[in-house]
Amino acid sequence: MRDDDAEAGREPVGQRPEDEPGQGVVTAFGQQLKLFRTRAGLERAEFGKLVGYAAQSIASFEQGRRIPPPRLIDQSDDVLDAGGVLKALKEEVARAQYPAFFRDAAKLEAEAVELHVYDTHVVNGLLQTEEYARAVFRMRRPLLDEDTTEQRLSARLGRQEIFSVRRLPTLSFVIEESVLTRPIGGREVMRGQLEQVLLHGQRRNVEIQVMPNEREEHSGLAGPFTLIETSEGRRIAYVEVQKHSRLYTDRETVREMEVQYGILRAQALTPRESLTFVEKLLGER
């Protein structure tokens, strides 16, 4: 927690948006916030006391340099009598916490009734522990600054609410063995990550499978991907590499990836064998 927020006694400052300062929905929100605050005749310090933030934090929100948390948006709308104008921007502001290339996929992921994932380099973000995720972000090059790292971390952990929604989606993961043996963050961090994989693998709506290194046949050599099905029955494939991403919606391409994923699952260890495999890895650490 930053000193100015510690003095306010509430939440930490919102984080830096992916948009450059002066651009995007975060800046538009900040301009609206300032207009409503000045209309109400409140200085930043006065308004900050009402919503639990220091004047410096309010300035950061108004200038579009930090992403306001949902709670602040709700409080601001009520305190400033904005009539729902600020709340109407909440969903789009929340999207800004993700890298630009992932925002559309994040929205679809949150609404999915089925999600099937193949990972080749790191444990999927939905399964990551906080410590493992932080280690992954700190390995990014060019380096991410601490504000951006913490913002990305918060957004990634927030995605894991998918495990606690009322209508549980069907989730499956195929993970390369090399992902589970690569000690990102160190041995203790990786041990905690393996334990988390085990915990998620025991959920009724989750199946985790390991693709062993020794397999001679492998249908996933083209790289990682995700299959998404929405409540409206839309089937979508998502592919991401080196800050570039693409959502495929045409039936032919999606069907090809669905077939590929089905073969991957057949080639991998079964879910039960996979959990036993992870338990064995834990015993070796």
Side-chain angles (χ1 to χ4, degrees):
M1 179 179 291
R2 294 180 179 276
D3 291 341
D4 53 348
D5 292 305
E7 292 171 3
R10 298 286 183 85
E11 300 175 31
V13 184
Q15 303 300 337
R16 178 171 302 161
E18 180 70 13
D19 307 88
E20 290 297 322
Q23 299 179 3
V25 67
V26 176
T27 298
F29 174 86
Q31 293 170 343
Q32 291 290 327
L33 179 64
K34 183 177 180 179
L35 284 172
F36 281 112
R37 176 182 61 77
T38 54
R39 186 191 70 170
L42 295 172
E43 296 294 330
R44 284 172 176 162
E46 295 176 296
F47 174 60
K49 288 180 180 179
L50 294 174
V51 294
Y53 286 87
Q56 183 179 346
S57 302
I58 300 301
S60 294
F61 296 139
E62 291 182 349
Q63 294 163 10
R65 293 185 289 108
R66 295 291 184 271
I67 296 176
R71 181 169 175 265
L72 171 75
I73 296 176
D74 289 337
Q75 287 179 312
S76 299
D77 198 283
D78 294 338
V79 168
L80 299 175
D81 193 23
V85 172
L86 298 179
K87 290 179 180 179
L89 293 171
K90 186 162 62 172
E91 182 176 341
E92 287 303 311
V93 169
R95 278 165 50 83
Q97 68 186 312
Y98 300 108
F101 63 83
F102 184 66
R103 289 172 191 167
D104 290 338
K107 186 176 187 298
L108 289 168
E109 178 187 85
E111 299 170 352
V113 295
E114 287 192 26
L115 195 69
H116 306 289
V117 185
Y118 170 52
D119 285 308
T120 61
H121 290 78
V122 296
V123 174
N124 189 268
L126 292 176
L127 302 175
Q128 289 178 7
T129 64
E130 179 175 346
E131 295 78 11
Y132 183 94
R134 181 176 282 107
V136 169
F137 285 127
R138 286 181 172 171
M139 291 179 190
R140 287 286 301 273
R141 297 295 185 275
L143 291 170
L144 299 175
D145 60 58
E146 284 303 311
D147 279 347
T148 302
T149 296
E150 291 305 310
Q151 177 262 311
R152 297 274 181 91
L153 178 63
S154 176
R156 177 159 296 182
L157 297 179
R159 289 167 52 203
Q160 297 177 7
E161 291 180 4
I162 195 172
F163 292 109
S164 57
V165 294
R166 185 170 182 179
R167 183 178 178 182
L168 294 175
T170 298
L171 307 173
S172 73
F173 302 85
V174 176
I175 309 173
E176 288 291 330
E177 175 184 341
S178 58
V179 171
L180 301 176
T181 56
R182 184 177 297 121
I184 290 178
R187 292 178 59 86
E188 287 306 309
V189 169
M190 196 62 209
R191 180 176 182 81
Q193 181 58 69
L194 291 175
E195 290 173 347
Q196 176 126 314
V197 168
L198 275 179
L199 288 173
H200 283 308
Q202 293 166 5
R203 294 177 180 271
R204 291 186 302 128
N205 64 317
V206 178
E207 291 189 334
I208 296 175
Q209 294 179 250
V210 176
M211 173 63 80
N213 291 337
E214 64 182 17
R215 286 291 193 260
E216 296 181 0
E217 296 182 344
H218 195 308
S219 71
L221 299 181
F225 60 91
T226 299
L227 298 171
I228 304 167
E229 182 169 346
T230 69
S231 58
E232 296 83 19
R234 295 175 62 205
R235 293 186 176 182
I236 302 157
Y238 174 71
V239 177
E240 175 189 316
V241 62
Q242 296 293 343
K243 294 187 178 181
H244 295 281
S245 65
R246 183 166 180 178
L247 287 166
Y248 292 92
T249 57
D250 65 284
R251 192 67 197 112
E252 181 178 355
T253 301
V254 175
R255 184 184 295 112
E256 288 177 356
M257 292 190 179
E258 289 174 340
V259 170
Q260 185 179 358
Y261 191 76
I263 297 173
L264 269 171
R265 295 196 68 178
Q267 293 170 335
L269 299 176
T270 67
R272 179 173 294 182
E273 291 170 341
S274 297
L275 294 185
T276 300
F277 181 88
V278 175
E279 290 174 344
K280 181 180 178 183
L281 289 179
L282 272 170
E284 296 171 353
R285 291 181 177 274

